[in-house]
C-alpha cells in the first residue's frame, strides 16, 4: 500500500519548495525539465505515489483522453492510433483505448466509463448506427468529441478523414486508363459513410468513362485479409470475368491477391488489383500493391491536435476536414491481357 | 457540465430502492441484468452521470486494468490483447492500453499513471532491460502485475508465454527432416529472453542432428514484415546459400518470402521458410506459411484470468506457465532442390 510521504519531505531533501515538488509531480511545464526529472526520480526512489484520483477532483482536467475505434487489429486504425499517441504523449495526456467492433452497446459502455472517470475528451471512429444524440450527450456532459474515419450525420463536431469518393475515383480512373472496362469493386459495406462514399466514387468514375456498371461486379462485405481471400472464388466466378478489382482497402486487396494466386492466376498480370489506405505493407506485398494513400497518420495527428485545441478552449471551424488522397502505382496493376 | 441529479430521483421514477440504483450504476451483479439495463437506460435518458472518480476514493477498486506491450501494431500482441479484452469485458474492467516501444522510460511513465489513477492491476510484456525492482515497486504499491511473452529475471510474478526453445526446435527439426542441412535463422534479438530462447532452441536442434551451425547463418535484427523484406538480400548473399530459413516470427517470414519473390526465386520451392506465432495471416499467405502456433489467445486469456484471480485474493502458484507450441505445416516448406 502507498506510503504516507509528504511533499515537504521531498522538498526538504532536494532543497526546493513544496510548490515546485507538487508542480513537478504533475508534469507541469512551469518546472524546468531537469529539475522535474530530478524530483520525480527522488520521489520514485523513496516510494512516493502521487494520487491523481484525489488531485483530479481538485482540478478540472483528468489528463485522460479516450480513443475508441472499430478494431485496433486493423493496421489502418493502428497507424492512426500511433500518430494520435505521439501527439497526446507530447501533451502528457494518458490514452485509454477500446474497440467497439461496430457494437453500439460496447461503444456506449466505453463512453460511459469515460464520463465516469471524468476524461477530458474522446477521439472516436463511430460504430455503425451511432445516432447524433450519442455525440450530443457527450458534448452536453462536458466531454468534447472528435471523429475520425467516419462521420455521424447531424453531429456538430470535427471530423477528420480522407476524401473517399475522390480517392476511389483515382484507383478506378487508373484502371480505366490502363484499358480495363470490366472492373469489379470488392469489399466494404453500405452501412458506413465511408462505404457509401467509396462505392459512389467508383460508380461515378465508371460512368464518367461511359461504362455501364454491372451489378454483379459488386462483391460487397469483405473488410479483412481473410475476407478478401475468401472472396476470390466469388470474384473469379463472375460471368464474363472482370479483368480488374478495385478493393475496399489494402487488407482485402492483399487477401484477394493471395486467393487469386492460390487459384493459379497471377495477380498484377492476369487480374489487376488496387488497394486503399497504402499501409506500410502495400509496398512489400507480392506483387507490390497499387494503392490509394489515405493519410491515416495525418488523420491521427490532426484529430489529436483538434481535441487538444478544444481542451485549451480554441474554437473549431470546419466541421469536416477532408484529406486529399494520392494514388501510388506499383506492380499489381497493368494492361488487361485481353481487350473486352 | 454534469447535471446534479440524485439517485433517489431515479429510484422514485422506476419504483426501486436507491441502493439498487447505486449498485446498477456500478454494474453490480447483485442487480438482475434487465433491471440494471433499465436503470442505466433511464439514468442515461435523464442525463445522470455516475462519478466513478469520487466513487473510487470510497471503494478499494477503480475497475481499471493497465496493459502495456511493445507495440499494438504487431498482430502478435493484437491477438493477445483481443483475448485479454474479452476476459476483462466479462468482469467489467476497463482496459487502459499503452505501447512502450522497448523504451524503459515510456513504460515507467505509463506505470506511474496507473499508480496515480489507482488502477487495480497491470498486464505487461516488459520492455527490454526492465529491472526486477520496477516490478517489485508496483507490487509494493498494491498494483499486482502479470507478465506476458517475456520474463523478468528475479521478478516473482506470474508469467504467461509459449515455450520458445521447444517451438523453434519443432520448426528446425521439420526442416532437417525434409533434408535441409544449411538452415539460417532470420530475425530476433539476443536482448530479450524470447530472442535468446529461440536462438538457443535452433542451435540445440541443429546440434542434435550433428549439424555445425555456421555463424554466417544468423541474420539477427528483423522483427517486422519490413525488416524481413529488407533482410532478403542479406540472406540470399550468404556464401554457399542456405536452402531454408527459420524465421523469428510470421511477420519476418512473410516479409522474407516477399523479398525472395522480388529477387525472382520461389519461396517454398527454392527456399523453404518457417514462421512463428501462426498469425491468422499465415494460412492465407502466398505460399501458405508453415508456422509454429504460439498460443497467443491462450496467453491473453490465462494472463487476464490470473490477474482477475489476484484481484480477488486468489494466491498464484507457478511463477511460469509455459504454453506448448505446435507446428502447422503448410506450403512454404518442402524438400531442398539440391542436397548439400
Amino acid at each position: 500500500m502507498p506510503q504516507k510521504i509528504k511533499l515537504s519531505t521531498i522538498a526538504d531533501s532536494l532543497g526546493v519548495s513544496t510548490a515546485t515538488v507538487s508542480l513537478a509531480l504533475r508534469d507541469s511545464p512551469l518546472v524546468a525539465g531537469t529539475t522535474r526529472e530530478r524530483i520525480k526520480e527522488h520521489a520514485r526512489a523513496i516510494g512516493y505515489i502521487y494520487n491523481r484520483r484525489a488531485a483530479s477532483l481538485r482540478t478540472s482536467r483528468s489528463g485522460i483522453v479516450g480513443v475508441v475505434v472499430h478494431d485496433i487489429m486493423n493496421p489502418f486504425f493502428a497507424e492512426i492510433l500511433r500518430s494520435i499517441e505521439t501527439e497526446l504523449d507530447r501533451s502528457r495526456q494518458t490514452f485509454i483505448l477500446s474497440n467497439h467492433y461496430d457494437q453500439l452497446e460496447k461503444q456506449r459502455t466505453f463512453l460511459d466509463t469515460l464520463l465516469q472517470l471524468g476524461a477530458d475528451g474522446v477521439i472516436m471512429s463511430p460504430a455503425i448506427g451511432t445516432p447524433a444524440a450519442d455525440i450530443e450527450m457527450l458534448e452536453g456532459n462536458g466531454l468534447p468529441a472528435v471523429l475520425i474515419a467516419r462521420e455521424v450525420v447531424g453531429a456538430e463536431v470535427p471530423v477528420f478523414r480522407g476524401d473517399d469518393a475522390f480517392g476511389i475515383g483515382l484507383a478506378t480512373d487508373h484502371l480505366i486508363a490502363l484499358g480495363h472496362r470490366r472492373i469489379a469493386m470488392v469489399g466494404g459495406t453500405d452501412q458506413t459513410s465511408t462505404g457509401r462514399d467509396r462505392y459512389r466514387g467508383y460508380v461515378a468514375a465508371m460512368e464518367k468513362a461511359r461504362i455501364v456498371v454491372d451489378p454483379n461486379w459488386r462483391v460487397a462485405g469483405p473488410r479483412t485479409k481473410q475476407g478478401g481471400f475468401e472472396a476470390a472464388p466469388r470474384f473469379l466466378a463472375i460471368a464474363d470475368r472482370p479483368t480488374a478489382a478495385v478493393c475496399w482497402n489494402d487488407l482485402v486487396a492483399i487477401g484477394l491477391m493471395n486467393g487469386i494466386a492460390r487459384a493459379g492466376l497471377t495477380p498484377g498480370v492476369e487480374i489487376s488489383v488496387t488497394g486503399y489506405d497504402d499501409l506500410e505493407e502495400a509496398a512489400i506485398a507480392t506483387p507490390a500493391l497499387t494503392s490509394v494513400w489515405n493519410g491515416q497518420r495525418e488523420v491521427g495527428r490532426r484529430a489529436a491536435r483538434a481535441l487538444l485545441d478544444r481542451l485549451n478552449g480554441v474554437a473549431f471551424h470546419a466541421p469536416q476536414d477532408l484529406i486529399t488522397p494520392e494514388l501510388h502505382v506499383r506492380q499489381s496493376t497493368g494492361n488487361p491481357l485481353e481487350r473486352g
Side-chain angles (χ1 to χ4, degrees), chain A:
Chain A
M1 285 296 112
Q3 292 89 335
K4 297 287 175 200
I5 293 168
K6 289 183 172 171
L7 291 184
S8 55
T9 312
I10 301 171
D12 289 348
S13 304
L14 299 174
V16 297
S17 72
T18 307
T20 300
V21 173
S22 169
L23 289 168
L25 294 177
R26 292 166 194 237
D27 285 321
S28 164
L30 298 172
V31 181
T34 50
T35 309
R36 207 159 60 201
E37 288 313 309
R38 195 160 56 92
I39 290 169
K40 288 172 74 179
E41 185 134 346
H42 181 73
R44 183 203 312 278
I46 65 171
Y48 178 84
I49 301 302
Y50 172 68
N51 190 335
R52 196 191 284 180
R53 277 188 294 166
S56 74
L57 288 173
R58 295 191 302 265
T59 64
S60 57
R61 295 263 290 263
S62 64
I64 297 173
V65 167
V67 180
V68 59
V69 300
H70 173 78
D71 184 2
I72 55 161
M73 273 189 72
N74 182 329
F76 168 74
F77 285 122
E79 291 186 7
I80 291 180
L81 292 175
R82 181 170 280 181
S83 64
I84 289 175
E85 187 182 23
T86 305
E87 290 301 319
L88 295 181
D89 268 2
R90 210 169 280 162
S91 299
R92 298 175 179 274
Q93 293 272 340
T94 300
F95 162 105
I96 306 188
L97 186 69
S98 182
N99 299 313
H100 55 59
Y101 303 118
D102 275 326
Q103 293 164 24
L104 205 49
E105 209 38 60
K106 194 155 159 52
Q107 176 174 288
R108 283 180 176 155
T109 300
F110 181 69
L111 295 175
D112 280 354
T113 298
L114 292 180
L115 287 166
Q116 290 165 14
L117 286 170
D120 296 333
V122 62
I123 298 174
M124 58 193 286
S125 173
I128 290 174
T130 300
D134 280 24
I135 312 291
E136 283 159 16
M137 190 276 285
L138 298 176
E139 296 273 329
N141 282 291
L143 188 75
V146 167
L147 306 187
I148 49 173
R150 295 175 182 170
E151 61 184 328
V152 169
V153 177
E156 291 293 316
V157 293
V159 182
F160 297 89
R161 61 189 189 89
D163 185 340
D164 290 298
F166 178 82
I168 210 86
L170 292 176
T172 314
D173 289 347
H174 166 67
L175 291 168
I176 294 169
L178 286 169
H180 296 274
R181 306 287 296 171
R182 296 195 310 283
I183 303 170
M185 181 165 175
V186 179
T189 161
D190 284 347
Q191 294 181 281
T192 66
S193 60
T194 321
R196 289 186 296 270
D197 287 350
R198 290 196 191 162
Y199 186 64
R200 192 161 51 77
Y202 152 80
V203 170
M206 295 290 271
E207 288 178 347
K208 198 179 61 191
R210 298 175 189 279
I211 301 171
V212 179
V213 177
D214 181 335
N216 291 321
W217 296 348
R218 178 79 183 111
V219 183
R223 292 193 281 172
T224 63
K225 233 176 246 186
Q226 189 70 37
F229 183 77
E230 288 165 3
R234 258 166 84 199
F235 167 80
L236 294 172
I238 295 173
D240 197 12
R241 192 172 73 207
T243 57
V246 169
C247 292
W248 163 254
N249 63 16
D250 285 358
L251 300 178
V252 170
I254 292 170
L256 183 72
M257 292 202 302
N258 283 330
I260 288 169
R262 198 63 62 86
L265 296 168
T266 308
V269 178
E270 281 151 296
I271 309 282
S272 285
V273 176
T274 63
Y276 205 102
D277 292 338
D278 200 24
L279 299 179
E280 284 177 1
E281 191 175 346
I284 65 171
T286 301
L289 182 65
T290 296
S291 186
V292 179
W293 173 84
N294 197 16
Q296 44 267 39
R297 288 181 188 259
E298 193 58 24
V299 164
R301 202 181 60 79
R302 290 195 202 175
R305 290 205 179 162
L307 185 67
L308 293 169
D309 279 352
R310 294 198 67 189
L311 299 185
N312 291 322
V314 180
F316 67 92
H317 307 288
Q320 284 254 9
D321 190 353
L322 286 185
I323 287 162
T324 305
E326 294 168 15
L327 183 71
H328 293 174
V329 176
R330 302 197 179 91
Q331 305 166 329
S332 69
T333 49
N335 301 114
L337 284 187
E338 30 110 35
R339 300 269 170 166

